[in-house]
């Protein structure tokens, strides 16, 4: 049973930084063969794709985080990261990681079939 566990969320002031971590376990296949993504959902809003990295390292970002957020993965550790710098109040949301085996998954939530429980990020002005 695939499990994705996020950590690293918290409360910071605008301009601050956080690093989110997603640890994967119970994978049927080698972690490196999964496309991985970070999503976020603010109260009353749709879930939004933030960043994605596929199995060959192709990166995608939503325009609002380009230049501020960096997605990366450590395949031997089955771990996904999201480094978030220059945080803004509008980045406040629950952040989720997601996985999809053997695909070039991007920023659409419908492309993913495994999800974590989320970690809260709150940015105050």
């Amino acid at each position: 049973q695939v499990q994705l566990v996020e950590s690293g969320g918290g409360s910071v002031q605008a301009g601050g930084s956080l690093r989110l971590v997603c640890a994967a376990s119970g994978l049927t296949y080698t972690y490196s063969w999964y496309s991985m993504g970070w999503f976020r959902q603010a109260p009353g809003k749709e879930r939004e794709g933030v960043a994605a990295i596929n199995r060959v390292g192709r990166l995608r970002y939503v325009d609002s985080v380009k230049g501020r957020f960096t997605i990366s993965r450590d395949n031997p550790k089955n771990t996904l990261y999201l480094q978030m710098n220059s945080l803004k109040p509008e980045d406040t949301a629950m952040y989720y990681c997601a996985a999809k085996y053997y695909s070039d998954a991007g920023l659409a939530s419908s492309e993913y079939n495994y999800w974590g429980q989320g970690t809260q990020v709150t940015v105050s002005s």
Side-chain angles (χ1 to χ4, degrees):
Q1 181 178 350
V2 175
Q3 277 197 314
L4 302 175
V5 180
E6 303 95 335
S7 62
S11 296
V12 296
Q13 289 192 325
S17 298
L18 286 172
R19 187 178 79 154
L20 304 185
V21 180
C22 173
S25 62
L27 300 172
T28 302
Y29 305 102
T30 301
Y31 178 75
S32 61
W33 286 93
Y34 289 79
S35 287
M36 302 296 298
W38 285 102
F39 292 78
R40 65 187 180 187
Q41 189 166 19
K45 294 190 175 181
E46 298 279 323
R47 186 168 294 190
E48 173 187 45
V50 175
I53 180 168
N54 73 359
R55 56 190 177 87
V56 297
R58 180 180 179 183
L59 307 180
R60 292 180 176 90
Y61 296 96
V62 69
D63 285 348
S64 61
V65 308
K66 286 179 180 177
R68 301 189 297 123
F69 291 10
T70 303
I71 188 172
S72 61
R73 64 192 298 167
D74 186 335
N75 289 334
K77 294 183 178 180
N78 290 7
T79 302
L80 180 73
Y81 303 97
L82 184 68
Q83 179 65 45
M84 305 187 296
N85 298 328
S86 302
L87 282 161
K88 303 175 180 180
E90 51 263 44
D91 295 318
T92 295
M94 184 72 78
Y95 282 71
Y96 301 89
C97 73
K100 172 68 175 181
Y101 172 67
Y102 203 80
S103 78
D104 187 22
L107 298 179
S109 59
S110 59
E111 296 179 274
Y112 294 82
N113 53 355
Y114 299 110
W115 292 86
Q117 294 299 306
T119 186
Q120 178 68 37
V121 172
T122 303
V123 184
S124 58
S125 57

